[in-house]
Amino acid sequence: MKKGFSDIFETDSVIKTLVLCVLTIGSYLIYKLYRFTSQINQHTELKVSNLFITTTIILFVISLGSLIYGLANYNDLTILKSSIGIHAISSAFDITWIVMVRNRINLIAGSNKDDNLWLNPFITSIFHVIYMQYKINQGLAKKEI
């Protein structure tokens, strides 16, 4: 089961990940989660359901679209208020996906609490894929030594 990071993940710039997450209003976060999930699904038995992934992406797109539309029409607060429900549902799916990927990366790394490669849940909840990429880069660098 334990394959190692080099068999699954690739090194990528943490700064690039941060900048793209900000510039794309979170869309790059979804892309990186999708990439991590695809890499996990292709190389391990720790599959994440394609139905779950598709549902989460669709909810994210609808939520982001309604939020942008609501902000563009900020004079009409009913539009913005009506998008809160879909945003809450979308956020719940996003958080669930982040936790699923985090747990799988910890299993792949064979990490436990206080290990160097262990993805801390609090830090992961704040920095998401940026922190995941940082830890993946650490794991890949560790294998090269």
Side-chain angles (χ1 to χ4, degrees), residues 49-97:
S49 161
N50 286 328
L51 178 61
F52 177 82
I53 295 167
T54 303
T55 303
T56 304
I57 291 171
I58 290 169
L59 286 170
F60 175 81
V61 169
I62 292 169
S63 173
L64 182 61
S66 68
L67 186 61
I68 291 169
Y69 183 78
L71 290 173
N73 298 295
Y74 67 91
N75 293 332
D76 186 3
L77 289 178
T78 57
I79 295 171
L80 201 53
K81 287 179 183 178
S82 66
S83 70
I84 290 173
I86 190 69
H87 184 69
I89 294 167
S90 173
S91 295
F93 272 78
D94 292 344
I95 291 166
T96 301
W97 194 6

Side-chain angles (χ1 to χ4, degrees), residues 14 32 49 66 73 84 94-95 106-107 112-113 131 137:
V14 175
K32 282 298 273 192
S49 161
S66 68
N73 298 295
I84 290 173
D94 292 344
I95 291 166
N106 279 338
L107 285 171
N112 295 311
K113 190 175 183 178
Y131 179 59
N137 289 352

Side-chain angles (χ1 to χ4, degrees), residues 23-34:
L23 291 179
T24 63
I25 316 167
S27 297
Y28 192 72
L29 175 135
I30 296 298
Y31 168 75
K32 282 298 273 192
L33 272 176
Y34 179 79

Side-chain angles (χ1 to χ4, degrees), residues 8-25:
I8 301 170
F9 300 110
E10 302 166 356
T11 303
D12 198 5
S13 168
V14 175
I15 299 297
K16 177 186 99 174
T17 302
L18 170 65
V19 169
L20 287 174
C21 283
V22 171
L23 291 179
T24 63
I25 316 167

